[in-house]
Amino acid sequence: MKRSLAAWLCAGSVAALAVTAATAYAQQAAPPPEEESSVATPGTLHTGPKVATPLGLDGKPDLSGLWRPVRTPGLPGGNMGKDEPNFILPFNAVGLRALVYSQNHTVDPESICILGGIPRHNASGLAFEILHTPERFGTFYNYNTHRVATIGANLSFPARIEQKYFGTGLAHWEGDVLVIETRGLRDSSSDHIWLDENGNPTSSQTVVIERWSRPDYHTLNLAMTITDPKYYTRPISFNRTWTRADRGQGQGEYPCNETNNAAEHIGPGAGVIGPDGNRGYGYTNAVLPDAPPGPEAYADVLDKN
């Protein structure tokens, strides 16, 4: 049966309207494009009305987002000992020797584009991004690197775990808190890896427990416990908070190996750690030395332990 010209035109008009409407809806519903933003910009806690925590397909808090660190006045950044007396970790005798070795013989791994690993990245002063599904937890850093933990009930580690910078992470939920246990990390005595920004050592015996929570849309909390019987006398606690970056912001490309043009001139160690627990000379306005400081620069650390 043939259709009239009017019928064809009418049908064509309806189809065109449908396409136009669908296009308009897609344009309206599409998220804004991510804009590159400085990951070194600190965040500030949200002071407006509380916004509910978004939930994932499993009904658990969705931790996804670009997160900016919130600085705590009076506490050092990048130092796992920020909550310890005098900002110094509880070293044992082996740990003290490892610290002196790191400061006098080991170049900061990140300065020569080696992965910082866990737990160091959790103390970083840079923003980072989380992509989270019911079965995977991925953290993406501005060194063009990432780590992934598997989420599930009753997961267990293999009998033999390959040593890696980010180790092997297994996660499970305890209520609304995502708990990640990481094992199989590298050792400062044989690998280019530090516990934190201050050059503190970490070993292959280290076990890291992270407890991630998102009490509302704008806030991300971490309560972390580091246990390393090789270098420390007791577990180390480390807590911090991040705030959600503005909607539409994202990470830019960070080609460390392409922009690192002076690696051959980088000296060993983290530099002198000031009384405020921060590394480097910028905190005391002191002039950089012609040569890296020797073990005497860490005499205070040795004396206090």
Side-chain angles (χ1 to χ4, degrees):
M1 177 177 173
K2 293 183 179 181
R3 303 179 66 181
S4 67
L5 178 60
W8 279 111
L9 290 175
C10 181
S13 298
V14 172
L17 287 172
V19 171
T20 301
T23 302
Y25 175 79
Q27 290 175 345
Q28 182 180 6
E34 290 187 345
E35 299 178 357
E36 293 186 9
S37 54
S38 173
V39 293
T41 303
T44 55
L45 290 175
H46 179 70
T47 57
K50 294 289 185 183
V51 179
T53 303
L55 303 180
L57 295 175
D58 55 358
K60 296 295 186 179
D62 184 357
L63 307 179
S64 299
L66 179 67
W67 297 98
R68 296 192 180 282
V70 177
R71 296 176 180 172
T72 304
L75 296 182
N79 184 350
M80 288 297 175
K82 72 179 184 66
D83 297 317
E84 297 285 343
N86 300 311
F87 310 123
I88 298 175
L89 295 176
F91 297 101
N92 58 27
V94 176
L96 284 174
R97 292 197 296 271
L99 171 66
V100 173
Y101 182 87
S102 293
Q103 298 290 12
N104 287 275
H105 300 282
T106 306
V107 171
D108 184 344
E110 286 189 351
S111 71
I112 52 176
C113 303
I114 295 176
L115 304 182
I118 288 295
R120 178 174 178 173
H121 271 296
N122 287 339
S124 173
L126 303 181
F128 75 108
E129 186 169 3
I130 293 177
L131 294 180
H132 175 205
T133 73
E135 297 181 348
R136 303 287 269 179
F137 174 87
T139 50
F140 296 82
Y141 306 105
N142 208 50
Y143 301 92
N144 282 9
T145 186
H146 69 279
R147 66 93 178 239
V148 174
T150 302
I151 304 172
N154 302 317
L155 297 177
S156 59
F157 290 96
R160 294 186 60 185
I161 306 177
E162 178 187 358
Q163 291 184 7
K164 296 179 288 188
Y165 291 100
F166 288 98
T168 297
L170 301 181
H172 66 277
W173 288 98
E174 293 183 2
D176 287 339
V177 176
L178 183 66
V179 181
I180 306 175
E181 179 175 347
T182 299
R183 297 175 178 265
L185 294 160
R186 292 179 179 265
D187 197 307
S188 297
S189 65
S190 57
D191 302 300
H192 290 286
I193 187 170
W194 286 356
L195 185 78
D196 56 13
E197 305 288 320
N198 283 20
N200 292 311
T202 182
S203 84
S204 58
Q205 299 178 32
T206 296
V207 177
V208 181
I209 303 292
E210 301 160 81
R211 300 179 65 86
W212 294 92
S213 58
R214 188 176 186 178
D216 56 63
Y217 176 84
H218 293 96
T219 309
L220 179 71
N221 294 324
L222 168 65
M224 181 169 65
T225 302
I226 304 164
T227 303
D228 180 3
K230 180 176 180 179
Y231 292 142
Y232 302 98
T233 59
R234 56 172 171 79
I236 301 162
S237 296
F238 181 87
N239 304 300
R240 73 179 304 186
T241 296
W242 289 263
T243 187
R244 183 69 162 81
D246 292 339
R247 181 172 173 79
Q249 291 186 346
Q251 289 181 306
E253 190 174 76
Y254 188 90
C256 176
N257 56 332
E258 293 183 8
T259 58
N260 191 0
N261 299 318
E264 66 275 13
H265 301 297
I266 299 173
V272 172
I273 309 302
D276 60 357
N278 286 300
R279 67 182 284 191
Y281 286 81
Y283 297 96
T284 60
N285 295 319
V287 178
L288 287 172
D290 294 330
E296 66 280 358
Y298 310 99
D300 288 343
V301 175
L302 298 175
D303 291 342
K304 291 175 181 177
N305 285 271

